[in-house]
């Protein structure tokens, strides 16, 4: 009886905390391979903020992505819990239209986290998040450009579709904000401004400089590590304005590798295709030729066709599928069987490739510190929905909340 009274007293003491509205800040660090968090010591990273969040929060042992493992489909799966074939954002660029992305929410065919939050009356902000032009949210600076300069996009292009006067309001508070080309610094200035002044219930924030640097100089290059260390500084400054009872999620869209060598499968046989980071044999004879190469430097393994059909049904006609060894990329064109790579960073590889994983980290009130197993990207949206108290009934993943408490 005394033990029961003690338990009841504890529950009563927790009621004020449990009754507080829970807020959620999701920051996607584009291209944050999970090894940046898992192997921070080996990489010599000076990232005290991310290290603290890992130590005090719940870190997944990698995130298996969706097909294709590129930015726009992945970010849409993160907030819908369904694969690209369902949410209708199947690529970065629209087919046959280089540079023309799926900017507008009219393309979405699945319910998003921000839609569920708005339907419940929650205050929502989306900053440089893909497929948010026209989003019915309270505060929006969408990812949009007419023409990029390298990996940088003009702020003026985005301001046209942003919440009216939002850029002016941020500039009044932070005069250094309106630089012509959007950067992570500007995105996180906007984030901090909204955390300070509006305290959104849900904020979806996308920063992309790490991705751009890795494309130029390679995965885990010293230049890429320097970009992540600067992002860590910006993150520390942003979190100084974190409202009470806010859970922080650090996520990413895909892993990264460096193209050290290039394999031309058509030099082995013309009866093959290259798609989604795989070599596909279109005849039994071709399958035999590639099977003979597994483990000999270029091909790491034969990927079960059951897995291929499940994750990429459009490749179901293949006889067999094969994956290259780490840092070996594929070319669909003709050429010598093996050629040197250019040392640039690549993604768009097969989701179950060894060590090729995105990141997922949760930190904040009610989140038990510890390690989570490897998860699916489709698990993220239902987890966020449960934390916010909203519903995403079509999500195909599972909520991780029971593992977090």
């Amino acid at each position: 009886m005394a033990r029961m009274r003690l338990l009841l007293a504890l529950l009563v003491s927790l009621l004020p905390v449990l009754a507080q509205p829970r807020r959620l800040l999701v920051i996607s660090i584009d291209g944050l391979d999970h090894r940046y968090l898992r192997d921070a010591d080996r990489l010599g990273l000076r990232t005290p903020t991310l290290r603290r969040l890992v130590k005090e929060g719940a870190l997944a042992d990698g995130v298996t992505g969706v097909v294709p493992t590129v930015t726009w489909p992945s970010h849409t799966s993160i907030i819908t819990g369904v694969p690209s074939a369902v949410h209708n954002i199947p690529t970065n660029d629209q087919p046959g239209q280089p540079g023309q992305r799926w900017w507008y929410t009219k393309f979405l065919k699945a319910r998003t986290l921000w839609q569920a939050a708005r339907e419940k009356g929650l205050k929502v902000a989306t900053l440089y998040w893909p497929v948010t032009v026209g989003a019915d949210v309270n505060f929006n600076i969408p990812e949009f450009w007419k023409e990029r300069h390298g990996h940088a996009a003009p702020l003026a292009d985005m301001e046209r579709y942003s919440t009216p006067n939002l850029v002016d309001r941020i500039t009044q508070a932070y005069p250094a904000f309106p630089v012509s080309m959007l950067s992570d610094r500007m995105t996180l200035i906007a984030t901090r401004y909204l955390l300070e002044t509006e305290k959104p219930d849900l904020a979806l924030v996308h920063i992309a400089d790490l991705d751009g640097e890795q494309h130029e100089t390679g995965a885990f290059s010293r230049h890429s590590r320097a970009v992540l260390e600067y992002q860590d500084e910006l993150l520390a400054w942003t979190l100084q304005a974190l409202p009470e009872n806010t859970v922080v999620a650090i996520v990413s869209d895909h892993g990264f590798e460096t193209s050290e060598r290039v394999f031309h499968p058509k030099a082995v046989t013309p009866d093959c295709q290259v798609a989604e980071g795989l070599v596909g044999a279109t005849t039994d004879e071709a399958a035999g030729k590639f099977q003979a190469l597994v483990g000999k430097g270029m091909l790491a393994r034969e990927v079960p066709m059951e897995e291929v059909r499940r994750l990429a049904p459009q490749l179901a006609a293949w006889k067999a599928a094969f994956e290259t060894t780490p840092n070996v990329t594929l070319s669909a064109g003709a050429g010598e069987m093996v050629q040197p790579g250019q040392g640039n960073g690549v993604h768009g590889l097969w989701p179950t490739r060894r060590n090729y994983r995105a990141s997922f980290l949760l930190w904040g009130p009610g989140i038990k510190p510890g390690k989570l197993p490897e998860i699916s990207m489709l698990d993220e949206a239902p987890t966020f929905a449960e934390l916010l108290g909203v519903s995403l009934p079509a999500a195909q993943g599972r909520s991780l909340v029971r593992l977090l408490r």
Side-chain angles (χ1 to χ4, degrees):
M1 183 61 69
R3 184 176 179 181
M4 181 62 72
R5 286 197 296 269
L6 179 62
L7 179 60
L8 288 172
L10 177 61
L11 290 173
V12 169
S13 70
L14 287 174
L15 283 176
V17 176
L18 296 174
Q20 293 178 17
R22 186 183 300 278
R23 298 183 176 94
L24 178 64
L25 169 63
V26 180
I27 298 180
S28 170
I29 303 178
D30 199 311
L32 184 71
D33 188 293
H34 82 119
R35 287 169 285 186
Y36 279 113
L37 300 181
R38 188 193 70 184
D39 302 336
D41 287 339
R42 180 180 63 79
L43 294 169
L45 288 170
R46 293 166 293 186
T47 50
T49 306
L50 287 170
R51 285 173 179 266
R52 178 170 71 91
L53 299 186
V54 168
K55 181 179 179 181
E56 298 175 1
L59 175 67
D61 188 21
V63 178
T64 304
V66 295
V67 175
T69 56
V70 295
T71 298
W72 286 60
S74 298
H75 275 86
T76 310
S77 289
I78 287 171
I79 60 166
T80 61
V82 298
S84 57
V86 178
H87 61 55
N88 195 47
I89 309 299
T91 51
N92 279 347
D93 292 340
Q94 295 182 40
Q97 302 185 66
Q100 182 66 23
R101 307 230 159 165
W102 305 85
W103 313 112
Y104 306 99
T105 57
K106 67 182 181 181
F107 293 121
L108 291 168
K109 302 299 183 184
R111 177 181 168 91
T112 66
L113 184 68
W114 55 262
Q115 288 171 325
R118 285 290 289 141
E119 288 169 9
K120 195 176 179 182
L122 300 183
K123 189 184 296 186
V124 178
T126 50
L127 298 173
Y128 202 59
W129 198 273
V131 202
T132 53
V133 174
D136 178 20
V137 296
N138 302 87
F139 311 101
N140 187 20
I141 300 177
E143 184 165 359
F144 178 83
W145 60 81
K146 292 181 180 178
E147 183 178 351
R148 280 202 299 183
H149 301 264
H151 293 282
L155 176 61
D157 290 351
M158 292 171 232
E159 187 174 6
R160 174 184 174 190
Y161 294 105
S162 298
T163 302
N165 301 318
L166 178 57
V167 169
D168 291 338
R169 290 171 56 193
I170 299 170
T171 300
Q172 187 172 3
Y174 291 96
F177 170 72
V179 179
S180 61
M181 294 294 169
L182 191 80
S183 65
D184 290 352
R185 175 176 173 272
M186 295 168 65
T187 303
L188 291 177
I189 285 176
T191 303
R192 173 155 176 162
Y193 170 80
L194 290 174
L195 294 176
E196 289 173 328
T197 62
E198 301 293 346
K199 297 177 173 54
D201 300 294
L202 170 65
L204 299 172
V205 180
H206 173 214
I207 57 176
D209 288 353
L210 177 62
D211 177 86
E213 186 60 49
Q214 290 184 105
H215 279 301
E216 295 292 334
T217 63
F220 311 106
S221 69
R222 70 185 181 95
H223 305 291
S224 300
R225 297 196 303 271
V227 169
L228 181 59
E229 289 172 353
Y230 181 53
Q231 289 176 324
D232 190 85
E233 293 179 18
L234 294 172
L235 183 61
W237 177 79
T238 304
L239 296 183
Q240 290 173 2
L242 199 66
E244 185 180 4
N245 205 34
T246 301
V247 172
V248 176
I250 304 295
V251 303
S252 69
D253 44 0
H254 49 71
F256 247 101
E257 289 192 13
T258 300
S259 178
E260 296 177 353
R261 292 179 293 168
V262 179
F263 177 53
H264 293 80
K266 288 192 181 295
V268 178
T269 173
D271 298 326
C272 66
Q273 296 175 350
V274 171
E276 312 303 352
L278 297 178
V279 179
T282 56
T283 66
D284 291 333
E285 182 181 0
K289 291 181 178 181
F290 289 121
Q291 286 165 349
L293 294 177
V294 172
K296 296 183 178 178
M298 289 295 103
L299 297 181
R301 67 170 179 134
E302 182 174 354
V303 179
M305 281 305 299
E306 178 279 327
E307 178 179 305
V308 174
R309 295 186 188 101
R310 175 168 50 85
L311 297 178
Q314 69 274 20
L315 306 180
W318 285 359
K319 298 294 184 180
F322 302 86
E323 182 178 270
T324 59
T325 54
N327 299 317
V328 173
T329 55
L330 290 167
S331 172
E336 296 181 17
M337 186 168 73
V338 183
Q339 292 182 324
Q342 296 183 345
N344 57 304
V346 296
H347 54 84
L349 308 176
W350 189 245
T352 63
R353 185 179 181 86
R354 182 175 179 269
N355 261 333
Y356 176 72
R357 299 291 183 273
S359 297
F360 180 83
L361 167 64
L362 279 180
W363 173 89
I367 305 300
K368 180 177 67 175
K371 302 294 184 183
L372 296 172
E374 183 177 303
I375 68 168
S376 164
M377 189 167 284
L378 303 183
D379 297 334
E380 297 182 30
T383 301
F384 297 152
E386 185 169 352
L387 289 172
L388 286 170
V390 302
S391 175
L392 285 175
Q396 296 180 15
R398 54 169 185 150
S399 172
L400 305 170
V401 169
R402 65 179 180 83
L403 302 177
L404 300 170
R405 292 172 175 166

